Amino acid sequence: MPSDAPITQDVVTIPRKLPDGHVNIVGLTRAKLREVLIENGTPEKQAKMRVNQIWQWVYQWGVRDFAEMTNLSKTYRADLAEKFVIEIPEMVSRQISADGTRKYLVRIAGGHEVEVVYIPETDRGTLCVSSQVGCTLTCSFCHTGTQKLVRNLTAGEIVGQIMMARDDLDEWPQPGVGTGDAGPRLLSNVVLMGMGEPLYNFDNVRDAMKIAMDNEGISLSRRRITLSTSGVVPEIAKTAEEIGCMLAISFHATTDEVRDKLVPINKRWNIEALLAALKAYPKLSNSERITFEYVMLKDVNDSDDDARRLVRLIEGIPAKINLIPFNEWPGSPYQRSDWSQIKSFADVIYKAGYASPIRKPRGEDIMAACGQLKSATERARKSRKQIEAEAGLG
Ligand code: SAH
Ligand code: SF4
């Protein structure tokens, strides 16, 4: 792609086609749910209450069958079942790593597949959710980036990944018995760090996260949701205003020259433009710190000079720097930095006053680590040569 060519989103969401016109409830905002209920015969006066009741069954208690919604009349339940369905993506397979990480292969409409990863820790559990099948961007170190974008996920398919994981973890509270929040939740955090660029699927990601945050449902705090972007600058302020979640940024380089190669969207919005948007984020979203993700690539971006430049660049932004040792994948054109160099880089950052955790690779034995996700169905892999050429390494 020539460097001045705009990087655009050219694929729209193809809504799930359901047999004989059934509408899927999952993924509709409250306003939209109200609308479709009224369209299908629910009296306007009752609509708000019906939305509340159905919402609670679906998102608080994980019910998938209208027949179980016992606070609705039998005839109303039958009416609903005629017109609506409660559907989430289908789990095709589940792999469990030696360290407890779970990788799910999930099938969505059209036979496409995405990967979803659950990472258990002692005090929390994080679900890494996908927002697109493939990705339009072509970051040269990312496995997903070698897969063409097939389509955006719908809001239902995004929040449906959370619901599927709660099914698998058996974490829905019993109807009428509290909220299930007695101890730490198994699924307590969500990161939009799976396949795809979430800010190129903004509306669906926003609706899905709004549903996940809703207090009468899955009820995840906005502080426990982190959206990771490669730097779609115009959407960053919108993320603050319309979602309000935590932000992580795939920074990965300290000069435009290197970042152009690693994260090609940098050719459209360079480091300076990105930093300006990030400076405004905490105030707009009322959130504390931005996470700077930095993948450690041997002899590419990992020198002590890089560390010092990084510290200078982000001065004034409340930040946490997450160092990610590069996860190799078959044919990847880079190597993981040496451990001693990762430590040395972390040290510079730490001395400058930033938290600089080194992300421990999880689930490597099942290719579940960052940037390794890629669905088997779309495995039209580029050759190593092609990848190297595009990364400017050839
Ligand atoms: N598209 C979004 C979110 C998905 S990627 C984004 O780019 O931010 C989630 C994180 O994993 C990003 O920081 C990405 O840069 C990083 N990543 C991608 N490939 C990787 C690899 N092979 N090793 C380590 N981290 C990788
Ligand atoms: Fe897409 Fe993110 Fe991978 Fe870049 S790092 S190709 S934006 S998924």
Side-chain angles (χ1 to χ4, degrees):
M1 188 186 291
S3 60
D4 55 349
I7 299 169
T8 51
Q9 173 61 309
D10 54 3
V11 177
V12 291
T13 307
I14 303 159
R16 176 151 207 165
K17 275 211 189 71
L18 294 161
D20 44 52
H22 282 59
V23 175
N24 188 9
I25 298 264
V26 178
L28 302 180
T29 59
R30 280 179 180 269
K32 188 78 191 152
L33 178 55
R34 179 173 186 277
E35 211 175 279
V36 296
L37 288 180
I38 292 169
E39 266 168 28
N40 284 283
T42 302
E44 241 183 285
K45 282 201 306 264
Q46 294 176 11
K48 192 171 175 207
M49 185 170 75
R50 299 291 173 240
V51 168
N52 286 340
Q53 289 168 318
I54 296 168
W55 193 274
Q56 199 174 35
W57 285 110
V58 174
Y59 296 115
Q60 185 158 335
W61 294 326
V63 162
R64 304 283 150 76
D65 184 351
F66 294 107
E68 289 174 41
M69 302 186 176
T70 46
N71 56 356
L72 302 175
S73 76
K74 274 206 171 131
T75 46
Y76 189 61
R77 282 184 252 164
D79 278 355
L80 289 173
E82 248 171 51
K83 287 159 187 150
F84 299 100
V85 289
I86 307 164
E87 273 197 5
I88 64 166
E90 178 196 347
M91 190 199 299
V92 179
S93 67
R94 182 186 70 179
Q95 284 170 278
I96 303 185
S97 157
D99 68 13
T101 301
R102 293 175 184 219
K103 182 167 86 169
Y104 307 101
L105 187 63
V106 164
R107 186 172 299 135
I108 57 172
H112 302 298
E113 287 167 354
V114 291
E115 291 180 333
V116 184
V117 179
Y118 172 72
I119 306 146
E121 287 171 87
T122 41
D123 58 340
R124 63 160 100 184
T126 303
L127 192 72
C128 181
V129 166
S130 290
S131 58
Q132 299 182 309
V133 184
C135 189
T136 42
L137 301 173
T138 50
C139 303
S140 52
F141 54 88
C142 174
H143 203 199
T144 308
T146 65
Q147 179 187 324
K148 271 203 180 133
L149 178 69
V150 180
R151 73 166 169 87
N152 279 336
L153 267 57
T154 63
E157 289 162 347
I158 298 169
V159 73
Q161 294 169 51
I162 303 175
M163 297 164 78
M164 181 217 66
R166 288 197 101 185
D167 288 355
D168 187 48
L169 299 166
D170 197 14
E171 205 185 15
W172 294 103
Q174 284 295 310
V177 188
T179 60
D181 270 348
R185 287 202 200 183
L186 293 173
L187 198 172
S188 61
N189 293 59
V190 165
V191 293
L192 284 147
M193 294 187 186
M195 294 165 63
E197 168 49 62
L199 295 188
Y200 272 159
N201 185 14
F202 187 87
D203 290 358
N204 291 319
V205 166
R206 176 200 54 213
D207 290 352
M209 292 307 111
K210 286 283 185 202
I211 294 170
M213 287 187 251
D214 191 292
N215 277 332
E216 275 152 65
I218 299 166
S219 192
L220 283 171
S221 146
R222 65 186 188 88
R223 288 174 201 283
R224 289 182 174 273
I225 298 176
T226 303
L227 182 150
S228 173
T229 178
S230 57
V232 187
V233 165
E235 306 291 319
I236 288 179
K238 255 174 78 185
T239 305
E241 283 153 8
E242 296 181 31
I243 310 178
C245 59
M246 306 298 282
L247 187 69
I249 191 88
S250 293
F251 207 65
H252 305 322
T254 61
T255 64
D256 282 323
E257 201 197 340
V258 177
R259 196 162 191 271
D260 280 352
K261 287 183 187 146
L262 298 183
V263 190
I265 202 175
N266 195 67
K267 296 178 198 162
R268 181 87 188 276
W269 295 290
N270 65 12
I271 292 180
E272 194 186 343
L274 177 58
L275 288 171
L278 296 180
K279 283 202 170 108
Y281 192 87
K283 206 165 156 213
L284 284 176
S285 65
N286 187 28
S287 61
E288 309 90 46
R289 289 188 299 179
I290 291 178
T291 302
F292 284 77
E293 296 163 283
Y294 199 97
V295 63
M296 300 297 294
L297 304 170
K298 187 175 174 149
D299 298 332
V300 175
N301 64 355
D302 64 347
S303 70
D304 288 1
D305 278 346
D306 279 304
R308 284 188 279 270
R309 258 196 307 271
L310 178 59
V311 167
R312 273 201 302 277
L313 284 171
I314 66 172
E315 205 186 316
I317 303 176
K320 177 171 104 184
I321 299 162
N322 213 329
L323 300 179
I324 316 172
F326 175 57
N327 295 311
E328 298 200 11
W329 35 271
S332 59
Y334 301 106
Q335 287 170 307
R336 181 179 289 183
S337 302
D338 291 334
W339 195 244
S340 59
Q341 189 49 37
I342 298 179
K343 281 250 165 72
S344 167
F345 194 104
D347 205 41
V348 174
I349 291 164
Y350 180 75
K351 285 198 176 116
Y354 293 96
S356 58
I358 299 166
R359 195 183 287 172
K360 196 167 131 242
R362 298 284 304 258
E364 275 185 303
D365 51 342
I366 54 170
M367 285 279 288
C370 296
Q372 292 184 316
L373 304 186
K374 179 161 167 172
S375 42
T377 46
E378 328 285 350
R379 214 171 274 278
R381 190 176 295 143
K382 293 180 189 173
S383 71
R384 187 185 182 109
K385 251 192 161 145
Q386 216 177 336
I387 295 163
E388 281 176 354
E390 284 177 16
L393 298 170

